[in-house]
Amino acid sequence: MKKIILVLSLICLASPAMAGKLVLKGSTTVLPIAQKATEAYMALHPDTVITLSGGGSGNGIKAIIDGTATIGNSSRFIKDKEVKQAVDQNAYPVPHRIAIDCIVPIIHKNNPVSDLSKEKLRDIYTGKITNWKDVGGPDMKIVVISRDSSSGTFDAWKELVLDGERVTPAALTQPSNGGLVTQISGTKGAIGYIALGYINTDVKVVSVDGIKGSEQTAKNGRYTISRPLFMFTAGWPEGETLDFINFILSPKGQALVKEAGSITLY
Amino acid sequence: MRRNEYLIKAFFFLTACVSVTILALIMIFLVKEGAPILSHVTLKEFLFGQYWYPTDDPVAFGIFPLIVGTVSVTLISTLVSVPLGVMTAVYIAEIATDNLAAIIKPLVELIAAIPSVVIGFFGMVVVSPFLQDTFGVPTGLNLFNASLMLAFMATPTICSVTEDAIRSVPESLKEASLALGATHLETIFKVTVPAAISGISTAIILGMSRAVGETMVVLMVAGGAAMNPHSLFDPVRPMPASIAAEMGEAAFGSEHYNALFATGVVLFLFTLGFNLFAAWIAGRYNRK
């Protein structure tokens, strides 16, 4: 009898720790933010166990619908089809805007081009325009550099600039943001794109349709190559999940958003 | 005493079994993870498809440009590394004085000890700007740069295997040639090298299989464009680079994941082919 009481009390003691378990899944764009946030959150709440994985926005939303994750990270809003699926399964997806993603085109420092329209950018990336002289620059071949197809930045670029069209097969690819900046700073005819947080003085940022991508223009919506990043929950978050979302939205969490290279909400 | 010997034999047998089993398991795993892609595309579309858009909508899983990338960097690097490796070996084995050979040989072998990421970095920050400035090419990360770096890596392999082959040519053959009045150089190129040709072929194929499977260098300096190159200075995307760049982000069990494993199977068949060919040539050589 004593043993049973002991076991029961142990279970009672253990249960608060058991409740503190979060599973995050989804977009690779949100991943760096989620990574920093989970690390900081677990440091504050040592009892909480958080597992974090990528897999893409679609998988993140799917995971909260079928209950395999508590939070689904997504770099896009939920689609109508997914809402219907969720409601059919009695899960009501709730979006939480946690950050803004802003992507800017960058070129070599000595390139005189300073503005490109979205159409021109699209034509460059689909391979219709191949020389800088067609967009008001010198007679020089355009070296199109893209990110690898699995990168979240690539995803956003494709959606916001290419309208879903394919990037030309002649585009060079870079596995990392750092490599991209190095390559562009050393290649005269190069053009690439990068999240705002990663630019440095070695490269030149091109404005799009006359508007330069910055924290301000992304926040007020005038710069169009930007998008909100979401964390979805099934139903209004409670307990630990609510705590976690509140943490990301707090000034401390938003500082981590900035560290991860994205733009804060406020 | 006898029992000890038996135990030792058993131990070595087990060790041999472990490596063979691991190889078999890797093969099974590769095929198991790669085969499901054939339910999305036909084998012909996969191998000869011109477009590699693994995450687009609609997707395209054609690895032909990647195969062309691998074949082209391998061939061009062979064109560079074979003369370099074979001639260095001839020099070390036949021409250089013993003292000089004792310095050059370890130096050449030291190249093999340079980590591939260092060679890749060298290609990125030194060779690439050099190519851009000298030849005026739009980008220095291209087929030529990658081939050059791979040649650099394959040369020590080719050199040391060739040297062994040349050294194993019987002294009597050379003496006979010299006795007939041939000069030293005539002896080298008309007697010694032809006599060692099987060994040299093995060296070349081993060097090529080194280039086929090399990942880091091609990931860093080949440019990564999934298209068939039209010139020596066009960027390419060899198979290992594609696998390395995309595997980290491909969702587990997705079509993309399967396609990358299937690419791995193709790559494995390439290197397996090279190694079998090398073994076959070496076997012929030994029978003679």
Side-chain angles (χ1 to χ4, degrees):
Chain A
M1 194 58 199
K2 257 188 182 170
K3 259 189 185 164
I4 292 176
I5 292 172
L6 189 73
V7 168
L8 278 177
S9 59
L10 271 177
I11 289 175
C12 289
L13 277 176
S15 57
M18 300 275 284
K21 188 173 174 357
L22 294 178
V23 181
L24 276 75
K25 203 172 178 179
S27 165
T28 49
T29 318
V30 184
L31 204 57
I33 299 173
Q35 218 151 13
K36 284 194 185 296
T38 47
E39 278 165 21
Y41 189 83
M42 285 202 281
L44 290 173
H45 307 258
D47 288 343
T48 313
V49 180
I50 306 182
T51 43
L52 173 63
S53 59
S57 302
N59 278 325
I61 289 172
K62 197 167 148 274
I64 60 149
I65 294 174
D66 60 25
T68 52
T70 33
I71 296 177
N73 299 331
S74 176
S75 56
R76 58 169 170 80
F77 199 70
I78 191 163
K79 291 176 183 166
D80 291 348
K81 215 172 79 187
E82 289 164 338
V83 175
K84 203 170 164 290
Q85 259 173 20
V87 173
D88 286 348
Q89 304 215 12
N90 273 327
Y92 294 88
V94 179
H96 306 271
R97 216 162 65 117
I98 56 146
I100 301 167
D101 201 17
C102 170
I103 300 163
V104 291
I106 49 175
I107 57 176
H108 189 264
K109 262 194 301 200
N110 299 344
N111 195 327
V113 174
S114 60
D115 181 74
L116 288 166
S117 68
K118 225 174 187 180
E119 285 70 41
K120 293 270 196 250
L121 273 175
R122 184 183 311 142
D123 287 350
I124 288 173
Y125 267 88
T126 50
K128 286 189 198 98
I129 295 179
T130 55
N131 198 305
W132 282 109
K133 70 172 190 242
D134 296 331
V135 290
D139 183 7
M140 183 164 60
K141 202 177 167 231
I142 301 179
V143 179
V144 179
I145 307 178
S146 185
R147 288 292 310 280
D148 259 305
S149 54
S150 38
S151 125
T153 319
F154 169 81
D155 229 36
W157 187 257
K158 203 175 71 183
E159 186 192 310
L160 298 168
V161 176
L162 296 180
D163 269 347
E165 272 188 71
R166 281 176 171 173
V167 172
T168 165
L172 280 80
T173 56
Q174 265 295 335
S176 73
N177 283 308
L180 187 82
V181 171
T182 315
Q183 196 181 353
I184 289 182
S185 64
T187 310
K188 286 192 191 80
I191 184 167
Y193 54 85
I194 197 162
L196 192 65
Y198 289 106
I199 53 171
N200 63 18
T201 48
D202 294 341
V203 291
K204 178 175 167 185
V205 176
V206 182
S207 59
V208 179
D209 292 319
I211 294 160
K212 198 153 185 167
S214 72
E215 214 176 311
Q216 200 194 348
T217 53
K219 272 182 194 167
N220 67 21
R222 290 183 59 214
Y223 183 74
T224 49
I225 313 178
S226 72
R227 56 179 183 172
L229 301 176
F230 296 97
M231 286 190 174
F232 280 88
T233 52
W236 186 255
E238 287 165 1
E240 197 84 46
T241 317
L242 182 63
D243 253 18
F244 183 77
I245 301 264
N246 280 339
F247 173 73
I248 290 201
L249 298 176
S250 73
K252 210 168 177 182
Q254 291 293 302
L256 298 171
V257 165
K258 196 165 189 171
E259 241 178 73
S262 294
I263 294 172
T264 54
L265 294 172
Y266 53 85
Chain B
M1 193 64 208
R2 265 193 82 109
R3 221 189 59 187
N4 265 353
E5 200 156 292
Y6 176 77
L7 279 178
I8 289 168
K9 263 189 190 166
F11 174 73
F12 278 100
F13 176 71
L14 273 179
T15 328
C17 281
V18 167
S19 20
V20 172
T21 317
I22 290 175
L23 179 69
L25 286 177
I26 290 176
M27 279 172 64
I28 292 169
F29 183 70
L30 264 182
V31 172
K32 190 183 139 268
E33 298 293 317
I37 192 63
L38 294 181
S39 61
H40 301 290
V41 290
T42 64
L43 186 63
K44 198 179 150 212
E45 278 165 1
F46 183 67
L47 290 178
F48 297 105
Q50 291 292 340
Y51 295 103
W52 175 252
Y53 287 100
T55 57
D56 272 30
D57 196 16
V59 291
F61 293 115
I63 63 164
F64 191 71
L66 313 187
I67 295 178
V68 170
T70 292
V71 171
S72 55
V73 288
T74 306
L75 285 182
I76 294 168
S77 76
T78 308
L79 287 182
V80 178
S81 61
V82 166
L84 212 62
V86 171
M87 286 193 218
T88 312
V90 167
Y91 181 74
I92 293 173
E94 293 291 314
I95 301 170
T97 60
D98 287 352
N99 285 339
L100 210 52
I103 297 171
I104 297 173
K105 194 172 144 68
L107 280 182
V108 171
E109 277 162 8
L110 201 62
I111 299 177
I114 302 177
S116 55
V117 65
V118 174
I119 294 184
F121 191 67
F122 178 75
M124 243 171 130
V125 300
V126 179
V127 182
S128 166
F130 174 79
L131 289 178
Q132 283 175 15
D133 297 342
T134 316
F135 298 101
V137 290
T139 172
L141 301 182
N142 53 33
L143 173 57
F144 183 68
N145 190 347
S147 305
L148 217 57
M149 294 301 107
L150 288 178
F152 198 50
M153 300 186 69
T155 301
T157 312
I158 295 178
C159 182
S160 55
V161 180
T162 302
E163 196 208 332
D164 289 345
I166 289 174
R167 285 203 193 275
S168 62
V169 172
E171 205 61 31
S172 55
L173 270 183
K174 297 180 212 165
E175 279 163 4
S177 164
L178 290 171
L180 286 171
T183 63
H184 191 188
L185 275 183
E186 281 171 342
T187 307
I188 289 172
F189 287 110
K190 295 196 172 147
V191 177
T192 316
V193 171
I197 200 70
S198 306
I200 296 175
S201 310
T202 312
I204 293 170
I205 291 159
L206 287 178
M208 284 173 88
S209 77
R210 177 106 172 78
V212 168
E214 172 51 39
T215 307
M216 205 60 214
V217 164
V218 290
L219 181 63
M220 291 170 83
V221 301
M227 64 162 188
N228 301 323
H230 300 295
S231 93
L232 207 52
F233 297 110
D234 273 348
V236 289
R237 187 181 187 86
M239 290 185 276
S242 198
I243 298 174
E246 295 164 35
M247 191 50 102
E249 303 284 351
F252 176 78
S254 63
E255 296 163 29
H256 187 195
Y257 176 89
N258 294 331
L260 290 176
F261 267 98
T263 313
V265 172
V266 174
L267 189 62
F268 178 71
L269 292 177
F270 261 76
T271 41
L272 186 71
F274 274 116
N275 282 306
L276 287 179
F277 193 52
W280 179 69
I281 286 182
R284 266 180 32 148
Y285 173 62
N286 287 342
R287 272 210 304 279
K288 268 185 193 167

